[in-house]
Amino acid sequence: MEVVDGADRGENVLDLSRLNLDSFSLDNISEERRKDTKQLYLTYNRLTALPECVCLFANLEFIDISNNGLSVICEDITRLNKLKTLIAKNNRLDEFSLPKDFGSMQIEVLNLSGNRFEELPTQCLKLQRLKSLSVGGNRLKAIPAEIENLTSLELLYLGGNLISAIPPELANLPYLSYLVLCDNRIQSVPPQLTRLYCLRSLSLHNNLLTYLPREILSLVHLQELSLRGNPLVVRFVKDMTYDPPSLLELAGRTIKSRNLPYVPLDLPSHLLHYLDLASKCPNPKCAGVYFDSCVRHIKFVDFCGKYRLPLMHYLCSPECTSPCSSNPQSDADSEDENSVPADRLQRVLLG
């Protein structure tokens, strides 16, 4: 679901699309017309570089230069202080095509889909007012951790790339509402995404997912979840691979589970930090905690009475009973106790 970019054609709009232009001249455009123009369309031409004279449109707020042969965006674009939207889809741009000061612009909507980016340009990660970023259909192999710098971002579209992992830093985007990562090579979803409190739509179809983290149930505003085309497991699977806890972990578990009192003066700082990392076992019948040693456990959960999704969670030990039942073998039959109300997710797309 890519955002439809566009602006109403009317007053203050200059449309020079589909004119077979290989260059751009202002000879036939009056100074008054340039001053009044707020939206400029140069789509479906033969431009190979964004003309420098574009900067003479001093009040420009929107420019669409899609479907050309652009390989360079000129440095002069940074002089457009009022520019809010830049659409440059289906060109030949890559990570070396943007001007070095591009990150200082006030752009709020940026669409670079259908180009040749192998990595997100560092300039894009400095756009402090950016609300919508679309870089779908490129050659991206990774999402940089610096994505967390785009704190105003509401929509992130990275579908149709070569991405294999989701960085946990993505969870540090407080206003992100729409996240599109379909048609990639993603194998897992980090549990940190539960911190995306505003997330309404999550598109993960056509990846390599076999399970989801149980924390996804904490996304209370999520209304649309797309998972079709993933090798999600089709039968109950329990992975009991388990590394015995270290003496340090056993001591830490004892202190935390028995609520043994301690104060900062009692322990070295690194041990105090270690104790702060304790994770509570999700089994409500278990009072245990764990640090590094835990059991991976896949549990089917009923979504909206129609779909059963495999969610990953962690237990403190192989002997720990199911989070839903005292019988470890009854997980496959206890889906109703973990069901997600239909009003929580309006659309779950699996097939």
Side-chain angles (χ1 to χ4, degrees):
M1 178 189 68
E2 186 163 1
V3 169
V4 178
D5 301 297
D8 295 334
R9 281 145 170 86
E11 294 183 1
N12 306 320
V13 177
L14 179 59
D15 191 347
L16 301 175
S17 300
R18 301 181 184 274
L19 297 179
N20 206 31
L21 301 175
D22 56 13
S23 62
F24 182 46
S25 172
L26 298 182
D27 294 343
N28 297 322
I29 303 175
S30 68
E31 183 175 347
E32 183 179 0
R33 184 73 169 105
R34 299 175 207 166
K35 183 178 179 180
D36 291 341
T37 298
K38 294 184 178 180
Q39 301 171 16
L40 176 62
Y41 293 84
L42 288 168
T43 61
Y44 292 99
N45 284 296
R46 294 188 294 136
L47 300 172
T48 58
L50 182 64
E52 296 179 359
C53 60
V54 166
C55 70
L56 299 178
F57 292 91
N59 295 311
L60 200 62
E61 298 176 359
F62 176 103
I63 183 171
D64 190 343
I65 49 176
S66 301
N67 298 288
N68 280 277
L70 291 177
S71 58
V72 176
I73 293 181
C74 63
E75 189 78 35
D76 296 81
I77 195 174
T78 59
R79 295 166 58 184
L80 296 174
N81 297 324
K82 297 182 179 181
L83 190 66
K84 296 292 189 295
T85 300
L86 173 60
I87 313 298
K89 300 184 294 184
N90 304 327
N91 284 290
R92 300 175 181 175
L93 302 172
D94 59 27
E95 51 269 27
F96 306 106
S97 300
L98 303 181
K100 63 179 181 179
D101 293 328
F102 187 78
S104 64
M105 299 185 69
Q106 306 302 308
I107 290 177
E108 296 180 0
V109 177
L110 177 61
N111 193 325
L112 300 173
S113 293
N115 280 283
R116 300 179 177 181
F117 290 94
E118 294 187 4
E119 58 186 52
L120 280 176
T122 56
Q123 299 96 314
C124 294
L125 302 172
K126 298 177 181 178
L127 295 168
Q128 293 299 307
R129 296 194 179 184
L130 195 63
K131 296 181 179 179
S132 174
L133 175 61
S134 299
V135 197
N138 279 273
R139 304 169 184 175
L140 301 178
K141 298 178 181 178
I143 304 173
E146 291 78 10
I147 194 75
E148 67 180 356
N149 296 333
L150 301 177
T151 53
S152 298
L153 205 61
E154 298 175 7
L155 180 145
L156 179 60
Y157 187 101
L158 297 177
N161 282 287
L162 304 172
I163 298 168
S164 59
I166 303 174
E169 289 81 4
L170 194 62
N172 296 331
L173 300 176
Y175 303 110
L176 192 65
S177 299
Y178 299 91
L179 177 58
V180 182
L181 297 171
C182 58
D183 299 290
N184 278 287
R185 301 175 179 177
I186 297 169
Q187 300 182 41
S188 63
V189 176
Q192 288 87 349
L193 289 193
T194 188
R195 300 203 303 269
L196 293 174
Y197 302 115
C198 294
L199 195 64
R200 298 169 59 87
S201 178
L202 177 59
S203 295
L204 293 168
H205 52 272
N206 299 329
N207 276 287
L208 301 175
L209 296 171
T210 55
Y211 65 86
L212 296 176
R214 65 186 296 273
E215 288 83 356
I216 199 169
L217 300 178
S218 300
L219 295 172
V220 295
H221 296 295
L222 191 65
Q223 296 181 356
E224 181 175 300
L225 175 63
S226 179
L227 293 168
R228 64 183 184 274
N230 280 285
L232 293 167
V233 291
V234 295
R235 62 183 178 85
F236 179 73
V237 178
K238 183 178 289 186
D239 183 356
M240 299 302 284
T241 301
Y242 181 63
D243 293 326
S246 64
L247 291 177
L248 174 62
E249 171 141 355
L250 288 173
R253 289 188 180 196
T254 300
I255 291 173
K256 301 298 285 189
S257 61
R258 297 188 180 184
N259 294 317
L260 298 180
Y262 62 90
V263 296
L265 294 177
D266 294 336
L267 299 169
S269 58
H270 71 280
L271 291 181
L272 291 171
H273 175 70
Y274 181 79
L275 289 172
D276 289 338
L277 299 178
S279 298
K280 189 179 186 303
C281 183
N283 179 6
K285 298 181 180 181
C286 175
V289 299
Y290 64 87
F291 293 86
D292 302 313
S293 179
C294 58
V295 176
R296 293 198 310 163
H297 181 95
I298 294 177
K299 167 69 183 174
F300 275 97
V301 173
D302 180 68
F303 270 59
C304 307
K306 187 175 182 180
Y307 303 105
R308 298 177 69 208
L309 300 184
L311 303 183
M312 174 70 79
H313 56 233
Y314 300 89
L315 302 179
C316 62
S317 74
E319 291 74 28
C320 187
T321 57
S322 161
C324 300
S325 169
S326 60
N327 180 0
Q329 303 303 319
S330 66
D331 296 84
D333 301 321
S334 59
E335 55 183 317
D336 291 339
E337 295 181 36
N338 260 349
S339 62
V340 178
D343 59 355
R344 274 284 309 279
L345 283 173
Q346 295 178 1
R347 298 178 65 193
V348 181
L349 306 177
L350 286 176

